[in-house]
Amino acid sequence: MSQTSTERLRDYLAQLPPQAQALLIREFERSIERGEDATVANFVLGQLRQIVRGTDEEAPARTDDPARLLFRPLEPFLVEHSGAVRPGQIRRASLLPVWQWLGRDGAPQAVAEFEATLARLRGGGTSSEIAHAARKLQMAAADAIAQATSVAPGGDNQRMLARIGSAAVVEDLRAVGAVLKNRDALDALSDKLPGGLGAFGDAQVNSVIATLNVPSLQTPLVLPFALSLVMQRLSAPWQIIRIAVRIASSDDEVRVAAIPLGVAVTMALHDLAHLVADLRAQIKRGHFENFAERLKLVHDGLRGVRTELDLRNDSVWGRQMAAIRVDISNSLQSEIESVPGRVRRLLRQRPDKDIAATTKIDPSEIDEVLALIAFVAVCRTYASELAINEVTLRTYSDLQQYVEKSTEALVQALRGADAKVRGFRQMQVKAAIRFCEALFGQDYASLMSRAADNAMVVVERKPSRAG
């Protein structure tokens, strides 16, 4: 690549948010690990690492990093945020403090031996030799973590745990050890699961239950990680509750909560709440890409859990469900109620004296309003389950009535418009026709478009008749 092209690439990568840079780094590293063509990946990785580190010095590839090799079994369970996590998840931010503790206090000899072995094998060792050395360190790390977390609260180890990192890191420590110790069983489960679980009917539920029937996967610490692997294959992750309902032989939440697999319900509700939080942030930013699909996931999840489980209003799960519904309802309702005002601001008939020859409508604002109209239409589809039925139906009806009347009035105003305001009136009419298409369909929009064309013909002929 030429110097100029490289500089343009670096400028582009430098403008990306840190989260996007980190995502690109991970994806390119995974591409290299899968054995795909690494030419482009290595080049872009080099540029990204220099930008992130703020130096032109070449650093070792993260795919050869000892900590990365140690924690590779954790990848399916890592989350990027540092907030509350559910069973079966580990914060990525916890890995560095755990690695530092292992090298300092937890298993310093094992870490030193692994780093020496890795240095010896680099350039000449096979992947199986590296994997064997990594597995040996993983078992040593699991033993060190088990020893560190096995004492009663208030003991000497409690003070040692506090030196490892924050409360979140200490919370993740036991989970890290459990996954490392049971890596083989989790890998075997992952290999046995199908690539995708669609409807997750009776036959698939029974098959997954049989696959989970391994003693090492049934411990309270490991079971959520096994269920997480299943959830990742489900097209609708909330359906994981069907395993718990089947084992309990009942949809009564008391009986489901009494079995170890009841944790599946806790996991499903946590993920639904997290999805709602993401939707709320998406709405606040005005980003509606893939909004329909994500809202459908929330709708189907809430309806599915409520249908397949007999939840009590005053139970922990019942209160969680109610909180999720209130959260999504409030987020959607406030945005829905703001849409008619945005439409009126664009289509209202301003007096001629308030319109200058240079007055224009921002095309991006029209696109935003169109996205909001589509947003209301999507919400109308799922309104009943999300407790927004009344506001959605009322808003959509108001939009239809206002846009229909405004479009007709704007077309009529176009007929008598003088030259100074004609350009702005045309912009309003074009925006109104786009709104008509979203609300009434292509046929009605075409009808109003022809009416606007006819109005412009009349306007253009007026000077010739006057002459």
Side-chain angles (χ1 to χ4, degrees):
M1 185 177 287
S2 69
Q3 182 66 25
T4 304
S5 299
T6 302
E7 290 173 355
R8 285 203 300 267
L9 175 63
R10 289 199 64 177
D11 289 342
Y12 170 74
L13 295 174
Q15 293 172 6
L16 295 175
Q19 298 90 336
Q21 292 174 348
L23 177 62
L24 279 175
I25 289 174
R26 287 199 304 276
E27 290 304 317
F28 279 123
E29 286 173 345
R30 289 171 184 167
S31 174
I32 294 172
E33 291 170 0
R34 291 193 296 267
E36 299 174 2
D37 186 0
T39 305
V40 175
N42 279 323
F43 179 79
V44 179
L45 270 176
Q47 300 299 318
L48 277 168
R49 289 183 181 126
Q50 290 175 18
I51 291 168
V52 172
R53 297 186 177 96
T55 176
D56 290 336
E57 297 179 5
E58 189 62 33
R62 286 178 63 196
T63 47
D64 293 333
D65 181 69
R68 189 170 180 82
L69 291 171
L70 168 64
F71 294 131
R72 183 171 291 171
L74 307 178
E75 282 291 336
F77 314 112
L78 297 179
V79 293
E80 303 302 325
H81 63 83
S82 57
V85 295
R86 62 159 170 77
Q89 290 180 337
I90 298 170
R91 302 169 185 86
R92 186 181 291 275
S94 295
L95 299 189
L96 180 58
V98 173
W99 168 254
Q100 292 172 337
W101 169 74
L102 287 170
R104 184 182 65 246
D105 302 318
Q109 184 176 350
V111 170
E113 288 178 359
F114 178 65
E115 290 179 330
T117 301
L118 193 59
R120 177 174 55 82
L121 293 175
R122 274 198 190 107
T126 63
S127 58
S128 61
E129 289 176 312
I130 295 176
H132 177 74
R135 187 66 185 128
K136 182 179 177 181
L137 176 61
Q138 287 160 3
M139 294 307 295
D143 291 340
I145 291 171
Q147 183 177 358
T149 56
S150 62
V151 296
D156 291 338
N157 280 33
Q158 202 68 17
R159 288 188 292 274
M160 182 268 293
L161 288 175
R163 292 197 301 271
I164 295 175
S166 64
V169 176
V170 175
E171 179 186 349
D172 286 332
L173 185 63
R174 191 185 296 268
V176 170
V179 173
L180 293 179
K181 181 178 181 180
N182 295 276
R183 169 191 170 174
D184 294 336
L186 290 168
D187 285 348
L189 171 64
S190 182
D191 291 340
K192 291 178 183 177
L193 291 172
L197 294 166
F200 206 46
D202 291 345
Q204 288 182 321
V205 170
N206 292 333
S207 175
V208 169
I209 289 174
T211 307
L212 288 170
N213 192 23
V214 177
S216 58
L217 297 178
Q218 295 297 315
T219 65
L221 266 178
V222 180
L223 181 57
F225 292 100
L227 292 173
S228 288
L229 290 176
V230 179
M231 292 177 75
Q232 291 167 11
R233 312 295 174 91
L234 290 170
S235 57
W238 68 267
Q239 293 175 340
I240 194 69
I241 70 172
R242 291 176 178 170
I243 295 177
V245 172
R246 179 62 52 84
I247 293 297
S249 300
S250 172
D251 64 352
D252 181 71
E253 71 162 320
V254 174
R255 295 185 60 177
V256 173
I259 63 173
L261 276 163
V263 71
V265 180
T266 299
M267 295 167 65
L269 291 178
H270 180 280
D271 283 6
L272 278 173
H274 190 71
L275 183 57
V276 168
D278 285 346
L279 270 179
R280 184 174 63 246
Q282 185 180 354
I283 292 169
K284 286 183 178 179
R285 293 193 300 266
H287 295 166
F288 297 104
E289 300 83 2
N290 303 319
F291 180 82
E293 293 83 352
R294 294 166 70 84
L295 187 62
K296 184 178 187 301
L297 287 176
V298 174
H299 168 270
D300 292 352
L302 290 173
R303 184 177 62 181
V305 172
R306 189 168 55 84
T307 301
E308 302 203 18
L309 267 180
D310 183 13
L311 294 174
R312 291 160 172 76
N313 293 332
D314 59 346
S315 69
V316 173
W317 289 343
R319 288 194 295 270
Q320 282 181 302
M321 276 285 289
I324 293 171
R325 293 190 76 200
V326 169
D327 192 5
I328 188 65
S329 175
N330 290 342
S331 299
L332 295 175
Q333 182 168 329
S334 60
E335 192 69 22
I336 289 168
E337 290 175 336
S338 72
V339 178
R342 295 285 301 273
V343 173
R344 289 189 181 95
R345 193 173 75 175
L346 289 176
L347 300 188
R348 69 182 180 86
Q349 291 243 29
R350 303 186 192 179
D352 288 357
K353 63 183 180 62
D354 293 341
I355 302 174
T358 57
T359 304
K360 297 183 181 299
I361 298 177
D362 187 353
S364 64
E365 187 173 2
I366 297 174
D367 292 338
E368 289 175 7
V369 172
L370 276 171
L372 287 170
I373 292 173
F375 160 79
V376 176
V378 170
C379 291
R380 187 177 63 151
T381 304
Y382 307 113
S384 179
E385 185 63 45
L386 302 177
I388 53 171
N389 206 35
E390 182 180 348
V391 66
T392 305
L393 293 177
R394 183 182 69 249
T395 300
Y396 199 81
S397 176
D398 289 348
L399 283 171
Q400 287 183 316
Q401 293 178 26
Y402 181 79
V403 169
E404 182 180 15
K405 292 178 180 178
S406 295
T407 306
E408 294 174 356
L410 286 168
V411 169
Q412 291 299 322
L414 195 58
R415 297 177 186 276
D418 60 35
K420 188 186 80 167
V421 302
R422 189 181 308 151
F424 180 74
R425 298 289 191 210
Q426 281 183 283
M427 292 180 195
Q428 283 188 302
V429 169
K430 289 179 180 178
I433 290 171
R434 293 182 68 186
F435 298 160
C436 285
E437 184 175 359
L439 289 166
F440 304 109
Q442 179 62 44
D443 291 343
Y444 184 77
S446 298
L447 178 66
M448 298 311 299
S449 180
R450 288 194 296 272
D453 291 341
N454 292 335
M456 285 304 300
V457 169
V458 172
V459 170
E460 290 169 0
R461 287 177 176 172
K462 277 185 178 181
S464 61
R465 289 201 305 270

